[in-house]
Amino acid sequence: MQLSREELFKPLNRQRDNKAEVATRPSLTYWGDAWKRLKQNKVAMFSLAVIVLIFLAAIFGPMLSPYSYSQQIRGEENLGPSLQHPFGTDSLGRDMLVRVLYGARISLSVGVVACIINLTIGIFYGGISGYFGGRVDSIMMRIVDIIYSIPTMLYVILLMVVLKDRLDNLLKLPVFSGLQAAGSGLISIYLAIGLTYWVSMARIVRGQILSLKEQEYVTAAKTLGASSFRILVRHLIPNSLGSIIVTTMLLIPDAIFTESFLSFIGLGVDAPVPSWGSLANDALGSIRTHFYLLLFPSLAISITILAFNLFGDGLRDALDPRMRK
Amino acid sequence: MFGYMIKRFAYSIFTLFVIITITFFLMHAIPGNVYNSEKNLPPAIVENIRAKYGLDKPLSEQYFTMLKNTLKLDFGISMKNRGRPVNDIITEHFPHSARLGIFSITLCLFIGIPLGILSALKKDKWQDRLAMIIATLGVSVPGFVVAVLTQYLLGVKLKWFPVIGDKTIYHLILPAIALSFLPISFIARLVRSSMVEVLEQDYIRTARAKGLSERVVIYKHALKNSIMPVVTYLGPLIAGVLTGSFVIESIFNIPGLGRYFVTSISNRDYTVTMGVTIFYAVFLVLMNFAVDVLYTVLDPRIKLKN
């Protein structure tokens, strides 16, 4: 039996079925798509909420507290956790809650400032190296290789020793009176971490740029006469932003970790300014009798680093599904 | 192969040279003289002391003297601990650190790798979930927190382990746990992801199709390739255990070089700080070289071009 064309194919009823021609879902940008994927990841969203909470507590907590971080309340030394002092007080009668909250300011600021320095150096170094390629690239990458094989922590420590002494003198100059409040310890932590951790960022940016610069739109931009700088800043860096953000998110916990380590060995912030590491260090002497003094700062460090790690993992999965393991 | 090794070795030597130079100039960027803290010293004595440590000579001369001495593995004399050579300090304290380090690294490998394998074999079952939760916690809790918590709970409260010192292997358990908690987690994640990948490879299917038992397939065929990433991680692992020991040794009162290094920083004993930094740097760079060579020997897939 032969089938005619009309029997095999039914014409589409344009009046009724024209919806079939319309995209049912709104088109999504790269960022919209990533956000959608991130929202589905419950762990990452919960971590994000925790991070936001910690930031809010760090910013507003010390303002709302009736005590200041250096205020010593006579007669209320070494109190355990109570309604009045939820985290207890230390041996000088200082409220631990406000000290832990203030420590959050210090630790988070280290994470953020160190990351900004890393980002700036890393993006430009990696960007220039990747974009120009050839001899420039191989020389710049050799330098990175050498820095990479230098044990980081040793150099952070050495830099801290040197910077602290230098800054102590510099801060006495009237020009820097505004920075005095931060203290030489904190500023040297910013610089020491910022100056040593940019290497991995530079490597990642370079890798991205190397592969992106072969794309047609870069050729098009070149044909139109765009300058190298413009191509780098307007085309290549924005397109590698995904992996830059992920690397940054995973660098923040590293920086916080390093800060607490340095403060713990006594190289960090200057007393009486508290950081989580210095609080934990201060608590060591009285650990057998006043365990809570150690417990709260330790919990604060661990929860913050955990939240950043989990959120960073989620962000990586959302921004670049190919990297998912 | 041999050519690669020579090239890689030359590269390590150059790195060391850069490290020594950076260290030297960083330490000399510290303003004032080292005896600033002792205010009552008359200038003549300060001059004498400066002459003794060669600090009165021009910077370039000091630099070359130091370079020559470093080649002879001579790191100078402690500035605080009058007259004691830094070499003596290193030979006395480093064995303590080395013992703890070797014990910790053994712990890392013998717990981390099986944990990763278990996770991969029980992928998405409760064993995997549990192991990965532990691993995620492990990379988030700083070593000194683990150290102090275990010291307090397992040592002081429950009295299961001795709290300070490193006399016996038994004393080393708590510090080693603190040092290896993070690397164990990292290794477990590393082995899990590479094992999962390897188990999907064709040669594993071939091995199964040949009728080999599951045990042989996993332990003889899959394991070899899945622990290769751990070999690359050995370098950072050694560095991590070494720097981690700075605090762990202080907490557990172990007379190792890490604790001495930290004390030298707070004492402003600059020759010791510099000497130990260079010693550690040499040690780590040579370890990295050894790991690189080991890796190329173990994995024939790596092409020795570059």
Side-chain angles (χ1 to χ4, degrees):
Chain A
M1 194 185 116
Q2 277 267 313
L3 283 172
S4 69
R5 227 175 110 197
E6 279 69 31
E7 280 167 323
L8 273 171
F9 297 101
K10 254 195 205 157
L12 187 76
N13 181 346
R14 284 193 180 275
Q15 298 299 309
R16 205 192 66 217
D17 294 333
N18 64 353
K19 273 185 188 149
E21 303 267 314
V22 181
T24 45
R25 275 193 259 168
S27 80
L28 280 173
T29 61
Y30 171 66
W31 298 107
D33 199 31
W35 174 240
K36 215 183 100 198
R37 251 172 292 167
L38 188 66
K39 269 198 297 194
Q40 286 163 355
N41 186 339
K42 286 197 193 92
V43 178
M45 287 313 280
F46 182 72
S47 313
L48 179 62
V50 172
I51 292 171
V52 172
L53 262 178
I54 294 171
F55 264 97
L56 290 178
I59 296 167
F60 297 110
M63 294 181 197
L64 296 174
S65 167
Y67 315 103
S68 87
Y69 70 84
S70 57
Q71 184 186 355
Q72 303 178 6
I73 308 158
R74 284 278 175 85
E76 296 189 10
E77 291 91 357
N78 288 326
L79 293 180
S82 66
L83 262 183
Q84 207 184 352
H85 302 288
F87 288 5
T89 58
D90 66 6
S91 58
L92 296 171
R94 293 178 293 198
D95 181 57
M96 278 302 284
L97 175 61
V98 75
R99 282 180 73 72
V100 170
L101 287 174
Y102 202 87
R105 279 191 184 183
I106 303 290
S107 297
L108 292 177
S109 80
V110 169
V112 171
V113 175
C115 272
I116 292 172
I117 302 178
N118 280 324
L119 271 177
T120 323
I121 305 179
I123 288 179
F124 277 94
Y125 196 96
I128 291 169
S129 177
Y131 183 73
F132 290 104
R135 186 173 286 171
V136 177
D137 179 43
S138 58
I139 292 174
M140 285 175 90
M141 277 303 119
R142 272 298 97 87
I143 295 173
V144 160
D145 282 346
I146 288 173
I147 300 178
Y148 202 77
S149 54
I150 294 174
T152 323
M153 191 58 91
L154 277 180
Y155 278 81
V156 172
I157 291 175
L158 214 57
L159 268 174
M160 285 291 302
V161 176
V162 177
L163 285 172
K164 234 179 132 146
D165 269 18
R166 279 261 135 156
L167 284 170
D168 272 336
N169 290 353
L170 266 182
L171 287 182
K172 284 179 194 139
L173 299 175
V175 195
F176 296 108
S177 58
L179 288 172
Q180 239 156 17
S184 61
L186 191 58
I187 299 175
S188 20
I189 292 187
Y190 291 155
L191 290 176
I193 299 180
L195 291 176
T196 38
Y197 280 56
W198 57 270
V199 185
S200 53
M201 179 65 77
R203 279 189 161 176
I204 284 169
V205 174
R206 171 186 171 263
Q208 285 283 319
I209 303 274
L210 268 185
S211 63
L212 283 177
K213 74 173 180 186
E214 307 297 332
Q215 305 269 323
E216 277 89 358
Y217 63 82
V218 176
T219 320
K222 267 186 196 155
T223 321
L224 288 170
S227 70
S228 295
F229 184 75
R230 191 187 156 83
I231 293 175
L232 196 59
V233 173
R234 295 296 298 271
H235 295 287
L236 296 177
I237 290 176
N239 276 304
S240 33
L241 218 52
S243 34
I244 292 175
I245 290 175
V246 171
T247 317
T248 313
M249 281 314 288
L250 294 171
L251 266 176
I252 293 178
D254 254 10
I256 294 177
F257 206 101
T258 311
E259 184 277 329
S260 62
F261 185 92
L262 289 173
S263 297
F264 191 84
I265 63 175
L267 265 178
V269 292
D270 313 283
V273 176
S275 92
W276 289 338
S278 72
L279 286 174
N281 190 19
D282 292 345
L284 273 187
S286 53
I287 176 173
R288 289 177 191 220
T289 45
H290 301 95
F291 185 61
Y292 59 91
L293 285 179
L294 179 84
L295 185 68
F296 294 114
S298 309
L299 273 180
I301 303 171
S302 308
I303 291 173
T304 309
I305 296 179
L306 183 63
F308 271 108
N309 275 335
L310 290 176
F311 180 63
D313 281 350
L315 206 60
R316 184 189 54 209
D317 294 346
L319 285 174
D320 191 355
R322 282 166 304 170
M323 274 161 81
R324 178 182 275 162
K325 276 178 190 163
Chain B
M1 180 69 210
F2 196 64
Y4 168 81
M5 266 159 75
I6 286 178
K7 203 169 172 183
R8 184 68 189 70
F9 187 71
Y11 193 61
S12 300
I13 296 292
F14 182 64
T15 308
L16 278 179
F17 170 72
V18 173
I19 288 176
I20 292 168
T21 309
I22 294 175
T23 312
F24 177 82
F25 286 104
L26 270 181
M27 293 311 282
H28 279 265
I30 295 172
N33 76 60
V34 182
Y35 289 88
N36 273 350
S37 47
E38 295 169 45
K39 293 212 170 61
N40 308 333
L41 286 179
I45 294 187
V46 172
E47 272 317 300
N48 257 336
I49 294 171
R50 284 175 64 82
K52 185 182 170 199
Y53 290 103
L55 294 174
D56 53 345
K57 300 205 179 76
L59 200 61
S60 58
E61 200 185 321
Q62 286 186 47
Y63 174 67
F64 286 112
T65 316
M66 199 253 344
L67 217 54
K68 217 163 61 193
N69 287 341
T70 309
L71 274 182
K72 289 188 279 183
L73 290 177
D74 174 7
F75 297 115
I77 296 164
S78 165
M79 285 182 169
K80 277 283 142 88
N81 216 334
R82 297 282 149 82
R84 187 147 186 238
V86 179
N87 285 30
D88 267 17
I89 295 169
I90 292 175
T91 44
E92 185 190 330
H93 295 280
F94 188 63
H96 292 274
S97 299
R99 211 157 62 105
L100 177 60
I102 291 168
F103 189 55
S104 305
I105 289 169
T106 319
L107 211 62
C108 289
L109 299 178
F110 278 86
I111 298 179
I113 295 174
L115 204 64
I117 296 173
L118 178 81
S119 259
L121 295 182
K122 304 275 179 189
K123 191 166 173 259
D124 295 327
K125 297 213 179 84
W126 67 267
Q127 294 97 325
D128 176 34
R129 294 264 157 77
L130 183 70
M132 283 305 111
I133 287 173
I134 296 173
T136 314
L137 279 180
V139 290
S140 305
V141 184
F144 63 83
V145 172
V146 179
V148 181
L149 287 181
T150 52
Q151 188 185 38
Y152 178 70
L153 295 174
L154 304 180
V156 176
K157 281 273 155 180
L158 296 171
K159 296 194 168 48
W160 287 356
F161 299 99
V163 179
I164 53 169
D166 68 338
K167 275 203 200 89
T168 63
I169 269 282
Y170 205 50
H171 285 80
L172 288 180
I173 292 176
L174 286 186
I177 288 176
L179 271 178
S180 46
F181 197 46
L182 188 144
I184 284 177
S185 313
F186 197 87
I187 291 174
R189 290 169 86 160
L190 215 59
V191 171
R192 178 186 181 271
S193 64
S194 80
M195 186 89 170
V196 165
E197 213 181 293
V198 166
L199 284 177
E200 285 163 6
Q201 304 263 317
D202 289 342
Y203 76 90
I204 295 295
R205 195 177 308 142
T206 311
R208 284 200 176 121
K210 280 200 301 192
L212 294 180
S213 74
E214 196 60 19
R215 226 187 50 201
V216 175
V217 170
I218 287 160
Y219 293 103
K220 194 148 176 257
H221 293 254
L223 189 62
K224 264 188 209 159
N225 282 327
S226 4
I227 59 172
M228 284 314 290
V230 178
V231 180
T232 26
Y233 177 62
L234 277 179
L237 172 66
I238 295 168
V241 166
L242 208 91
T243 41
S245 72
F246 298 169
V247 284
I248 304 299
E249 287 174 1
S250 307
I251 294 170
F252 288 97
N253 213 6
I254 293 167
L257 194 57
R259 196 182 69 162
Y260 204 94
F261 180 60
V262 175
T263 324
S264 83
I265 293 167
S266 42
N267 280 345
R268 300 174 166 240
D269 193 343
Y270 293 130
T271 37
V272 174
T273 307
M274 191 168 137
V276 176
T277 305
I278 293 176
F279 172 74
Y280 274 151
V282 172
F283 180 74
L284 289 177
V285 169
L286 292 181
M287 278 295 161
N288 274 333
F289 169 70
V291 167
D292 260 23
V293 171
L294 180 72
Y295 193 67
T296 47
V297 170
L298 287 181
D299 195 345
R301 286 173 299 182
I302 294 178
K303 291 207 179 75
L304 302 172
K305 271 180 192 163
N306 198 18

